[in-house]
Amino acid sequence: QAKELRLGLITPNGHSWNKAALKLADQLKEETKGRLTMTVFHSGQLGNEAAMMQQLQTGALDMGFIQAAELGSRVPHIAAINAPYIVRSTPAVAKFVRHPAAVKLFDVLPAETGTIGLGWGITGMRAVFAVKDLNTLADIKGMKLRINPTPVYRDFYSSLGAAPTPIPTPQVFDAMSNGQVDGLEADLEFSWNQRFDKVSKSILQMNAVFMPMAAVVSGRVWQSLPAADKELITKAVKSTLDAQIDELAAGEPALIENFKGTSVPVRQVAVKDTEAVIAEFDKIWLPKAPVLAELRKVGATI
Amino acid sequence: MITFAAFTVIMLVGVPIGLCLCLAGFVYIMASGNPVLFQSYPLQLFGGVDSYGLIAIPLFILIGEIMNGGGITKRIVDMAMAFVGSLKGGLAYVNILANMFISSILGSATAQVAIMAQIMVPEMEKKGYDKTFAAGLTAYGGMLGPIIPPSVMFVVYSVLAQVSVSDMLIAGIIPGVILTVMFCVVIALMGYVYNYPRADYQTPRQRVATILRTSPTLLIPIVIVGSILGGLANATESAAVGAVAAAVVGKYWTKEFEWSQLPQMMLRSGIYSAIVLFLVAAAAVFSWVLIFGKVPQETAAWIQTVAKDPISFMLICNVILLVIGTVIDGVPGLIMTVPILLPVATEIYHIDPRHFGVVVVINLVLGLLSPPVGLCFFVAAAVTGAKPGKMFMVTLPFFFISCILLVLLSLYPYLSLALIK
Amino acid sequence: MSDQTISTAPAIGVRRVIMAASSGLLAFERLALMGLMYLLTALILVNVVTRYSHFPIYWIDESAVYSVVWLTFIGASAMTRLRLDFAVTMMTERLSARSQQIFKITATSTVIVFGVGLIVTCMLWMDPIGLAQAGFDAKKFAGQTFNFLYTERTQTLNWPTWVLYLTLPIFAVSITIHGIANLLEDLGLVTKVPPKGFQLSELDGVN
Ligand code: NA
Ligand code: NA
């Protein structure tokens, strides 16, 4: 029978996740000749991710694009995907999140969060923007660094000797320009939109962590759907996320060119510098999320 | 539809607006046949105030409390007098200038009118001004409070619109200064027509002495702005730093502030901020059900049939907001209109959300000065005993000049955006 | 905007219990509001100092936000009792005294309707009965009900979120009690006296 689905996400209009959501809505409508429709609620109109999760659990909301940080704060098993140096480039991220090992992380979602994971969408590898000159990983030591406050990132940047400083997203630019923090870490797409290069002296491509998003469906809603619709929705989600992942990975070189076109130097972290950091990080996180060992193995083959 | 009907009826009965919004949320959920939403209701209420930007509100209100308790306001008026001198209509200029200065510390129009009316109106009456005019003028001076930073209304807007608090605060500077200049021009013209009295003559030496004596008040805005520019604090935190500065100035320079007064000041700041913050929470529930019911989408569709371009959209918004502002006060007005109008403004007409915020806030502030529910006039009336209706009539030129400013701001976005990086 | 009078006059049985509960709550709310304001100011100042000296404390922002959330709902409860709130009086103030009284009683009753409604939604959300049936095992409860409330923790403080959410059921109960107390006053069943310890001015606006 006819059904209207609601999908919520926190990114604003124009973000590549939003474009994917709108494409998904079009595709569902077209394939079912209007029997299944979908309304997209962007910019956290229905509340922040925690509020959206609660609405997914009650069944008030049908679908959500929820960041790994939110799911990871509930389930350490999922947080493993945020670990540093599983893969080392955005093209590798694009392959990795479609590998069965990454998709298999969703197995714990129904029992732990009441949602069903259908696939990952991505943002690119995160870089550090600093008000001083950064050449190597060691230069991060002693920096006041604004980070996404998810526990995995905090442990990673702490192990590099930085003092992780939470600053609310809308205030990050100001915090950099007036010196409340000495640096920030973010993905390149967001950083270019915010023009963080204008308040930075150098950019260090960490090639360490990325923030993927999971397309999840309410467990309650899923139970009530006929098998044919489940299959149809799963397929549509997969194909739109595939397109999002490919497009984002393909767009990264142009983005890096943008940054290289500014006067701010863009540098890379040397692979040999990272081994000690990985060991220290895994000492904390392997006991919490044993699946990390397998993810590293898979990542190494990509 | 039934949600709006329920909302309007209970509001007219005199139910506090925050509760009206909450109850309309209940009514919507019942009418929508989706009772599962009840389970998310409390969390939406919580989520509405679970926001870093809102921390600024209690702190801004606290600065005002400490400053007033420390007798700092009175010194600011003295300083403005020394600057203005013996012009025709001198005290009227003093009124506006002191208001502008105090606006740079206080965040609220009504608080400012209450404070300034007690000081300025008796002074102006003594010098031969009509009491109604003096009270009305003070009410217009109070308008600067929420326009010149800091401003509780801009903070609430920045949270609703998810834009940077400091951007919004900075956006108010140019409009605030233009408005001050416009008010001074009106005073000059009216002073000529009505032959306003001159202020007392002060020798240059007296002036310098007064300015030197009162200059420590400057410390408060200097500390606020300096802590931001110096990388010590962000816009929110600067309010806490400013509160400390106000306490220090009040304690060691004016010597009117006592630590024993602090608990009561904390209590009042707590309650007054809760009044605003609860409205924000209620608005979150209300806009959540509106969004679930796709009301913004439908409003957008309707407005698009009327307004063909950004400018006609802005002008329509001005009219709508002025009408709303006449019956509803600042923050609640913001909370009811922004969730509906902002998505239309940014997505359909590609208006900068910060530019839109400036226009919306000034529009609603002007509503505080228009009958029948012009809260600023009521406050000025309560302090001075003048009649609110008459106050509105004798200050009509100020109303018109404010409307002109609104049109200018609507047409020229750079007036709001020029100072933002 | 406010009458700022509160009744403590002797009344019989239930009435007396309600009035006493309301006064007790208000006294507690008064202290809590002061405490939260001090806490908020201190947290922000400590944050400024520690960040400036290169030792930022990770959980301060989150603590400050939750202090403001608690301040909101505790303050909203107190202001209901103090009858300090934005209301549209444009229509009612033109009516006869008797009609005004009727409207006032209606308006006060809606406070109680809201309070009770919020208690009900909090029960649906927090489901204490379901939790008890699951033997207070958060995981088991989540498995049975799809309600994961008791398994969640905050991001930087790492507190269980339900502890912070408790402000809502507390608010629901206290606003109901204050609503009933206000209604008893409006119906003339008890007499009003001014509240203790609040030096509020009708003129201190909040816009
Ligand atoms: Na101000
Ligand atoms: Na008004």
Side-chain angles (χ1 to χ4, degrees):
Chain A
Q1 78 276 23
K3 181 154 176 70
E4 194 206 341
L5 299 161
R6 296 183 172 88
L7 181 146
L9 74 174
I10 53 155
T11 44
N13 250 344
H15 191 279
S16 67
W17 294 349
N18 297 59
K19 289 181 197 156
L22 293 173
K23 230 194 269 175
L24 176 61
D26 286 344
Q27 196 171 329
L28 282 177
K29 193 172 169 189
E30 201 173 299
E31 284 179 8
T32 61
K33 301 197 174 63
R35 187 174 57 81
L36 290 184
T37 54
M38 181 185 269
T39 312
V40 175
F41 295 96
H42 56 81
S43 314
Q45 285 178 323
L46 298 180
N48 60 20
E49 288 187 323
M52 283 196 261
M53 284 301 286
Q54 198 257 356
Q55 291 169 60
L56 285 162
Q57 288 158 357
T58 65
L61 183 61
D62 306 282
M63 285 190 70
F65 284 178
I66 307 288
Q67 293 179 95
E70 177 65 32
L71 297 171
S73 73
R74 294 154 191 262
V75 199
H77 186 79
I78 298 274
I81 201 165
N82 285 129
Y85 299 112
I86 294 178
V87 286
R88 290 170 185 266
S89 70
T90 301
V93 168
K95 284 194 193 130
F96 173 71
V97 294
R98 285 178 278 196
H99 190 281
V103 177
K104 206 169 172 303
L105 290 173
F106 292 143
D107 290 355
V108 298
L109 283 182
E112 299 277 348
T113 67
T115 63
I116 310 267
L118 298 184
W120 292 107
I122 61 167
T123 53
M125 278 291 185
R126 298 168 80 88
V128 169
F129 289 69
V131 295
K132 62 173 189 175
D133 209 22
L134 288 184
N135 286 295
T136 67
L137 222 43
D139 294 341
I140 290 177
K141 197 167 177 185
M143 272 176 77
K144 272 188 286 184
L145 187 68
R146 190 272 171 179
I147 68 165
N148 176 313
T150 195
V152 174
Y153 287 7
R154 180 186 51 190
D155 291 344
F156 170 53
Y157 289 104
S158 301
S159 75
L160 295 175
T165 312
I167 304 265
T169 310
Q171 313 213 1
V172 175
F173 189 95
D174 295 330
M176 275 289 272
S177 61
N178 70 17
Q180 283 171 57
V181 290
D182 317 314
L184 63 92
E185 59 91 47
D187 69 84
L188 295 181
E189 185 190 14
F190 181 69
S191 305
W192 183 252
N193 292 338
Q194 297 275 314
R195 293 309 304 262
F196 287 144
D197 56 293
K198 292 191 169 172
V199 285
S200 306
K201 280 230 176 66
S202 69
I203 302 168
L204 186 61
Q205 285 194 270
M206 303 286 288
N207 297 321
V209 291
F210 60 99
M211 183 56 76
M213 144 288 267
V216 297
V217 190
S218 157
R220 269 177 201 254
V221 172
W222 202 240
Q223 281 174 347
S224 70
L225 289 174
D229 282 355
K230 287 189 200 174
E231 194 181 330
L232 196 117
I233 293 170
T234 309
K235 267 194 187 154
V237 169
K238 284 229 160 82
S239 74
T240 40
L241 288 181
D242 268 344
Q244 189 271 331
I245 293 169
D246 290 335
E247 209 173 297
L248 191 122
E252 190 170 83
L255 213 46
I256 293 176
E257 279 314 303
N258 285 346
F259 281 111
K260 288 193 170 152
T262 69
S263 58
V264 186
V266 183
R267 303 201 176 92
Q268 302 274 336
V269 166
V271 175
K272 65 176 168 50
D273 290 354
T274 60
E275 280 153 17
V277 181
I278 296 173
E280 191 175 335
F281 179 88
D282 284 5
K283 227 190 297 173
I284 308 171
W285 275 88
L286 266 179
K288 289 192 206 177
V291 71
L292 178 55
E294 192 198 337
L295 295 185
R296 287 211 185 283
K297 251 184 239 159
V298 170
T301 66
I302 286 170
Chain B
M1 206 56 239
I2 184 165
T3 314
F4 276 110
F7 175 76
T8 314
V9 170
I10 50 184
M11 187 175 73
L12 288 178
V13 169
V15 177
I17 291 166
L19 287 185
C20 295
L21 293 165
C22 290
L23 288 165
F26 280 141
V27 172
Y28 169 81
I29 297 174
M30 275 188 257
S32 72
N34 201 0
V36 71
L37 292 180
F38 278 125
Q39 277 182 58
S40 302
Y41 186 98
L43 190 58
Q44 288 294 328
L45 207 54
F46 189 96
V49 279
D50 179 5
S51 165
Y52 183 83
L54 294 175
I55 294 174
I57 291 177
L59 298 174
F60 283 153
I61 295 177
L62 179 64
I63 294 187
E65 286 287 336
I66 295 179
M67 212 181 67
N68 210 27
I72 295 168
T73 323
K74 176 81 185 70
R75 269 92 177 163
I76 290 172
V77 173
D78 290 345
M79 189 191 303
M81 282 185 191
F83 271 112
V84 168
S86 54
L87 292 173
K88 186 186 269 294
L91 275 182
Y93 294 110
V94 168
N95 190 330
I96 294 299
L97 288 183
N99 262 305
M100 180 173 99
F101 188 85
I102 285 169
S103 303
S104 70
I105 304 171
L106 289 186
S108 139
T110 43
Q112 191 165 326
V113 174
I115 293 170
M116 291 300 286
Q118 294 173 58
I119 298 174
M120 284 311 301
V121 176
E123 199 81 14
M124 287 177 74
E125 238 187 317
K126 240 187 282 166
K127 278 279 157 320
Y129 287 86
D130 168 35
K131 179 163 87 179
T132 313
F133 170 76
L137 180 69
T138 314
Y140 274 95
M143 216 183 134
L144 298 167
I147 300 174
I148 293 174
S151 153
V152 169
M153 280 181 77
F154 276 137
V155 170
V156 171
Y157 177 84
S158 70
V159 170
L160 292 173
Q162 297 184 316
V163 295
S164 154
V165 177
S166 31
D167 279 3
M168 277 324 297
L169 294 182
I170 292 168
I173 294 177
I174 295 180
V177 172
I178 296 178
L179 193 61
T180 309
V181 173
M182 283 175 145
F183 282 170
C184 288
V185 172
V186 174
I187 292 172
L189 294 174
M190 286 178 76
Y192 184 75
V193 176
Y194 296 102
N195 196 20
Y196 287 156
R198 289 179 182 279
D200 286 341
Y201 178 77
Q202 292 184 21
T203 64
R205 183 182 292 253
Q206 280 172 321
R207 282 169 207 273
V208 171
T210 309
I211 290 170
L212 286 180
R213 186 173 56 79
T214 53
S215 56
T217 50
L218 293 170
L219 205 62
I220 300 163
I222 288 174
V223 164
I224 292 177
V225 175
S227 68
I228 297 176
L229 296 180
L232 187 66
N234 60 33
T236 306
E237 293 163 343
S238 72
V241 180
V244 174
V248 169
V249 170
K251 172 82 185 159
Y252 297 104
W253 175 63
T254 68
K255 299 199 169 66
E256 287 179 31
F257 170 81
E258 290 300 332
W259 293 112
S260 59
Q261 299 170 305
L262 197 56
Q264 270 299 325
M265 290 174 177
M266 288 286 184
L267 178 62
R268 280 197 297 268
S269 315
I271 290 203
Y272 296 139
S273 18
I275 296 177
V276 176
L277 291 166
F278 181 65
L279 272 171
V280 177
V285 170
F286 189 67
S287 74
W288 172 62
V289 299
L290 288 186
I291 287 164
F292 241 94
K294 295 196 214 160
V295 173
Q297 286 97 318
E298 282 159 22
T299 314
W302 173 79
I303 291 185
Q304 270 177 286
T305 62
V306 197
K308 297 295 172 212
D309 55 280
I311 289 178
S312 50
F313 169 75
M314 279 300 234
L315 294 178
I316 288 176
C317 281
N318 275 327
V319 175
I320 294 175
L321 288 164
L322 267 183
V323 171
I324 290 175
T326 57
V327 286
I328 294 198
D329 287 313
V331 171
L334 210 51
I335 277 164
M336 288 168 52
T337 54
V338 169
I340 297 176
L341 292 178
L342 180 71
V344 184
T346 56
E347 282 159 33
I348 315 270
Y349 298 100
H350 305 287
I351 293 167
D352 188 297
R354 298 164 300 187
H355 170 218
F356 189 68
V358 170
V359 174
V360 171
V361 166
I362 297 182
N363 232 312
L364 290 171
V365 170
L366 197 53
L368 296 173
L369 292 151
S370 59
V373 196
L375 194 62
C376 281
F377 281 147
F378 283 112
V379 172
V383 179
T384 62
K387 289 266 176 299
K390 229 174 115 200
M391 234 186 267
F392 178 71
M393 295 313 290
V394 299
T395 51
L396 265 181
F398 293 94
F399 185 77
F400 288 128
I401 203 87
S402 308
C403 290
I404 291 173
L405 174 73
L406 267 177
V407 173
L408 288 177
L409 289 174
S410 305
L411 297 181
Y412 303 109
Y414 59 78
L415 292 178
S416 318
L417 302 177
L419 294 180
I420 302 174
K421 271 171 270 185
Chain C
M1 234 159 94
S2 72
D3 312 348
Q4 291 172 19
T5 46
I6 296 285
S7 22
T8 50
I12 43 156
V14 181
R15 263 184 259 170
R16 178 146 54 182
V17 172
I18 294 279
M19 298 316 287
S22 174
S23 314
L25 264 174
L26 190 64
F28 170 78
E29 285 162 351
R30 177 177 168 275
L31 291 177
L33 285 171
M34 286 183 193
L36 285 166
M37 280 300 295
Y38 276 113
L39 176 66
L40 173 67
T41 315
L43 283 171
I44 297 293
L45 292 173
V46 168
N47 201 26
V48 168
V49 172
T50 53
R51 191 182 53 227
Y52 196 73
S53 49
H54 268 259
F55 294 101
I57 300 174
Y58 204 58
W59 43 262
I60 284 202
D61 280 353
E62 199 173 77
S63 318
V65 170
Y66 289 131
S67 310
V68 171
V69 173
W70 277 70
L71 181 84
T72 302
F73 293 107
I74 293 176
S77 169
M79 83 198 189
T80 302
R81 186 67 181 106
L82 298 168
R83 298 171 190 260
L84 280 168
D85 206 345
F86 290 108
V88 173
T89 49
M90 166 182 72
M91 191 186 94
T92 49
E93 72 197 1
R94 286 160 200 220
L95 301 173
S96 68
R98 191 176 151 66
S99 320
Q100 273 195 30
Q101 184 65 13
I102 292 170
F103 275 110
K104 196 171 178 191
I105 290 166
T106 315
T108 310
S109 308
T110 60
V111 174
I112 304 169
V113 171
F114 169 71
V116 173
L118 193 59
I119 293 176
V120 172
T121 56
C122 283
M123 291 286 279
L124 288 173
W125 173 45
M126 300 194 135
D127 196 6
I129 297 163
L131 185 66
Q133 281 168 351
F136 296 99
D137 178 338
K139 274 246 160 103
K140 191 173 159 205
F141 170 69
Q144 287 169 354
T145 60
F146 270 97
N147 186 338
F148 292 77
L149 175 64
Y150 298 99
T151 64
E152 292 164 18
R153 304 183 83 82
T154 72
Q155 202 161 34
T156 60
L157 276 172
N158 202 27
W159 286 13
T161 50
W162 65 266
V163 173
L164 295 162
Y165 294 152
L166 278 181
T167 187
L168 285 163
I170 294 171
F171 169 58
V173 171
S174 62
I175 198 174
T176 308
I177 293 172
H178 286 328
I180 297 172
N182 283 352
L183 186 64
L184 291 176
E185 286 179 358
D186 290 352
L187 291 170
L189 295 174
V190 290
T191 47
K192 302 177 181 184
V193 296
K196 279 199 200 93
F198 288 90
Q199 297 165 19
L200 299 169
S201 150
E202 206 169 337
L203 308 172
D204 289 315
V206 285
N207 274 284

